């Protein structure tokens, strides 16, 4: 479990910053074709590649077969919501763009959009992941100074940073992220016992497995945003 959680460090690094939702500029993906959804030819994502939010949208665009270029930003600077540029224009409503692409994809495959109940279930579990699962992954990855140092080493190895910032991440980053994890732990009212963080995370993962049930994924045979 310890090795597995350390491996999650790459995905959890920017969670603390991701709590503050960023805003992005304007692009109407349905402006052409009389309001019909338009699939962009290419997408640029300006974000930290080890941000869970960045990873979620990168995976989504990959599933939609939209070419994605990730432009790295510094993991301890800025918010966790990526800036998205589609076909050279900034995207204002990222959620709306995702919904339009999903609708176009589902329409092409099945001739219609998903049932309202499925959409509500997906929205529920997206909120659950943002508010419960991701914070607890963050708490576990940066649970101790030693684990925080391991996580920052992972960030440096996966990132493309100059030697000055790499040194800063290795020397200062662990204490910064460990302090944020402690604050998150108090906020989430996790028990002070050293194994309390692990127990709570396992309980949350069990909750997710129960929700998926006998399905391949929450979205059935197709990955939805809650799965990502």
């Amino acid at each position: 479990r310890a090795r597995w959680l350390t491996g999650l460090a790459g995905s959890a690094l920017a969670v603390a910053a991701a709590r503050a939702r960023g805003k992005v500029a304007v692009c109407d993906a349905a402006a052409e074709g009389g309001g019909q959804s338009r699939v962009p030819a290419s997408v640029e994502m300006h974000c930290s590649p080890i941000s869970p939010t960045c990873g979620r949208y990168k995976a989504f665009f990959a599933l939609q077969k939209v070419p994605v270029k990730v432009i790295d930003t510094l993991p301890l600077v800025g918010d966790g919501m990526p800036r998205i540029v589609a076909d050279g224009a900034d995207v204002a409503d990222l959620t709306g763009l995702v919904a339009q692409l999903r609708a176009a994809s589902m329409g092409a495959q099945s001739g219609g959009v998903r049932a309202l109940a499925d959409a509500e279930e997906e929205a529920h579990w997206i909120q659950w992941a943002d508010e419960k699962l991701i914070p607890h992954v963050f708490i576990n990855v940066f649970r101790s100074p030693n684990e925080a140092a391991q996580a920052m080493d992972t960030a440096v190895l996966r990132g493309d940073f100059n030697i000055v910032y790499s040194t800063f991440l290795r020397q200062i980053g662990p204490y910064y992220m460990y302090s944020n994890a402690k604050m998150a732990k108090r906020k989430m009212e996790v028990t002070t016992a050293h194994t309390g963080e692990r127990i709570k995370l396992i309980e949350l993962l069990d909750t997710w497995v129960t929700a998926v049930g006998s399905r391949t994924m929450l979205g059935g045979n197709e990955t939805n945003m809650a799965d990502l």
Side-chain angles (χ1 to χ4, degrees):
R1 288 174 181 166
R3 290 180 180 177
W4 176 75
L5 289 163
T6 300
L8 285 176
S11 296
L13 181 61
V15 169
R19 295 305 89 199
R21 297 296 184 187
K23 292 184 178 179
V24 286
V26 177
C27 168
D28 184 0
E32 299 179 5
Q36 298 298 315
S37 298
R38 178 174 61 84
V39 177
S42 63
V43 168
E44 279 187 2
M45 296 180 59
H46 297 252
C47 59
S48 169
I50 51 180
S51 158
T53 307
C54 180
R56 176 193 301 173
Y57 287 105
K58 180 182 177 182
F60 170 77
F61 288 121
L63 284 172
Q64 298 299 317
K65 295 181 172 55
V66 176
V68 179
K69 178 182 179 181
V70 177
I71 299 177
D72 294 2
T73 56
L74 302 180
L76 298 184
V77 178
D79 58 46
M81 183 64 73
R83 173 186 171 226
I84 303 259
V85 179
D87 292 339
D90 284 348
V91 174
D93 183 8
L94 182 54
T95 303
L97 175 62
V98 167
Q100 288 169 357
L101 291 174
R102 287 290 306 279
S105 175
M106 295 302 294
Q109 295 172 16
S110 61
V113 297
R114 293 172 302 129
L116 178 61
D118 291 339
E120 290 176 347
E121 181 186 41
E122 180 180 11
H124 166 76
W125 288 105
I126 289 173
Q127 182 178 5
W128 174 86
D130 283 341
E131 295 180 356
K132 295 185 177 181
L133 180 61
I134 289 178
H136 281 282
V137 171
F138 175 75
I139 290 169
N140 275 269
V141 169
F142 301 101
R143 182 176 64 155
S144 68
N146 183 55
E147 288 168 305
Q150 292 175 0
M152 296 312 299
D153 280 341
T154 300
V156 171
L157 290 173
R158 292 185 60 180
D160 184 20
F161 310 118
N162 61 48
I163 189 168
V164 174
Y165 200 75
S166 295
T167 301
F168 169 79
L169 287 178
R170 282 195 165 103
Q171 298 298 323
I172 306 299
Y175 300 101
Y176 174 81
M177 302 306 282
Y178 170 64
S179 298
N180 276 278
K182 287 190 67 175
M183 288 189 290
K185 183 176 175 178
R186 287 194 292 267
K187 181 178 180 181
M188 303 300 291
E189 297 182 348
V190 178
T191 177
T192 55
H194 193 55
T195 58
E197 307 96 331
R198 297 288 196 260
I199 293 171
K200 183 61 180 178
L201 181 58
I202 291 169
E203 289 175 352
L204 290 168
L205 294 174
D206 285 341
T207 298
W208 171 253
V209 170
T210 300
V212 174
S214 61
R215 292 173 288 185
T216 304
M217 293 169 283
L218 191 73
N221 292 326
E222 296 292 332
T223 305
N224 65 22
M225 288 300 290
D227 290 305
L228 296 178

